[in-house]
Amino acid sequence: PFSEPYKHSINVVSVALNHDGMANSRKMSLIDSNRDLYVTRLHRPKPVKLATMVESAVWHSRHDILACISHQRLVVWYYPHVVYVDMDLLQKTQLSIDASAYGKQCELVSFHGSSCTVQKANGARVSAPVSPFPITLVRYAARNKWPQCTRLCRFAKKTVLWACLAAVAMGRRQLEIAAVAFAALDEVDKLDCVQNIISIPSSEGQRAELLLYQRRPDAAEQVLVSANLIYRAIMLNIRIFRWRRALELASNYHGKMPISHVDTVVGYRQKHLAAFARKETDPRFLQIMSKVKIDWNAIKNKEAQENAIELKSSNRKGSENSVILKVIVDTREGKGTRASGGGSSTTSTQAKSAPSGSDMEGKLQQQSEPAAQQDVGHAFDQDDDLEM
């Protein structure tokens, strides 16, 4: 079957399908008897609660946008797929408008363009306008017009626009665009994460880091193991403190790979316990610690060898220059960063060395052309990472 059967825990009173995307990206919204609103993908059901006390909900007639009336407020999610990309951006990608003027027991009838049609309890229908900028942004992103997306965000200067751009760009693996959006949102931690992903030389490593960013560590590990990047898979489990799984991978591939990393796992485990002044209690590690000698110079040399092997076998080069300074300067230009004649010479030097907004947009335009060819036939909320 195309999708797995899904059974909700309680009775469902309303079900609706979105009108955008291919079969593997279609979504469904449902309202249960508790008046809770959920959204889920069809081919891999994983419902996520969006709102409570929902009277009605409706999908946009052309785009993947969802609107509902909850607690006498009209709430619009301009990119519902953000729940599978980054839950931290969910609140920033929604718009909430007071709907008390429509009275109680009102119902959303349709959502077309930038207005929702609301039917009151007496049967009268009125139009509820919403912001058209996020809808235009979603339309540009669907056509891979990333320079137009960034110009629209700089023109409107709305947080919801930058959040939508960041979520869409991460879903479409447009890391440079996501870096610009996160810089505008002052999300330093996410900007640093994107920078780290860009610096990874192999495409499989980047895909795995994106899956880890989406809180899918098992899928990320599967991508790395399938690409024979065992060292990166081991370090991924160490980073998220899945010590037993890291030791299992190192032990299973001991002797099968030219470089063994059992001592690497045990060494990082000991360093982790020492930082918290704890003693080892896991019998698996206690058994191996008596057989393995920890030499950090050897461990660092093996890590350097693994990085060199990955860089040599990859089909692209690692990012030599950091994009953090470039995107911050490029984003801040629209905010009017003006220095007086006696300003800091370091700041002016950085501004001169960084590319201008037009240069960055020209670079993004060149990147969007091949991206448009690669994304033909794929919706921008792809979920086929393990098949690539």
Side-chain angles (χ1 to χ4, degrees), residues 1 28 49 57 66 108 113 153 182 319 326:
M28 174 183 67
K49 183 189 290 189
L66 181 63
L108 286 174
C153 292
F182 284 135
S319 179
K326 295 181 181 179

Side-chain angles (χ1 to χ4, degrees), residues 228-282:
N228 206 27
L229 298 174
I230 307 302
Y231 167 71
R232 188 171 287 277
I234 293 173
M235 293 305 299
L236 182 145
N237 284 281
I238 291 177
R239 285 162 49 200
I240 59 178
F241 306 108
R242 299 204 307 187
W243 298 103
R244 292 185 178 181
R245 179 55 183 165
L247 181 61
E248 181 181 354
L249 282 174
S251 301
N252 292 341
Y253 286 91
H254 178 69
K256 299 179 182 179
M257 303 297 293
I259 304 176
S260 176
H261 291 287
V262 176
D263 57 340
T264 303
V265 178
V266 176
Y268 279 104
R269 170 78 170 184
Q270 291 181 352
K271 182 182 290 187
H272 171 73
L273 293 176
F276 291 93
R278 302 291 297 273
K279 293 183 178 181
E280 184 62 72
T281 57
D282 193 316

Side-chain angles (χ1 to χ4, degrees), residues 16-141:
L17 295 176
N18 67 339
H19 307 284
D20 179 66
M22 301 185 64
N24 64 344
S25 63
R26 295 292 298 275
K27 296 182 186 64
M28 174 183 67
S29 64
L30 59 92
I31 303 175
D32 58 23
S33 56
N34 289 338
R35 311 310 299 182
D36 295 333
L37 174 64
Y38 293 83
V39 63
T40 180
R41 293 171 293 197
L42 286 181
H43 70 299
R44 292 182 183 176
K46 186 181 178 182
V48 178
K49 183 189 290 189
L50 293 182
T52 59
M53 299 301 295
V54 176
E55 299 183 18
S56 63
V58 64
W59 289 94
H60 194 274
S61 59
R62 294 186 60 185
H63 304 292
D64 189 20
I65 302 174
L66 181 63
C68 80
I69 294 181
S70 172
H71 297 281
Q72 293 189 349
R73 298 192 67 85
L74 175 61
V75 185
V76 181
W77 290 274
Y78 288 103
Y79 188 55
H81 189 72
V82 71
V83 298
Y84 300 111
V85 177
D86 188 355
M87 281 292 295
D88 298 336
L89 297 175
L90 178 61
Q91 297 298 325
K92 294 182 179 180
T93 57
Q94 75 178 31
L95 178 67
S96 181
I97 305 174
D98 183 24
S100 59
Y102 307 127
K104 297 183 178 180
Q105 298 181 352
C106 57
E107 180 182 359
L108 286 174
V109 178
S110 63
F111 187 6
H112 183 74
S114 59
S115 63
C116 299
T117 302
V118 183
Q119 180 172 308
K120 297 183 178 181
N122 59 4
R125 295 189 175 185
V126 294
S127 178
V130 298
S131 175
F133 292 123
I135 300 176
T136 304
L137 178 70
V138 171
R139 185 170 66 251
Y140 282 154

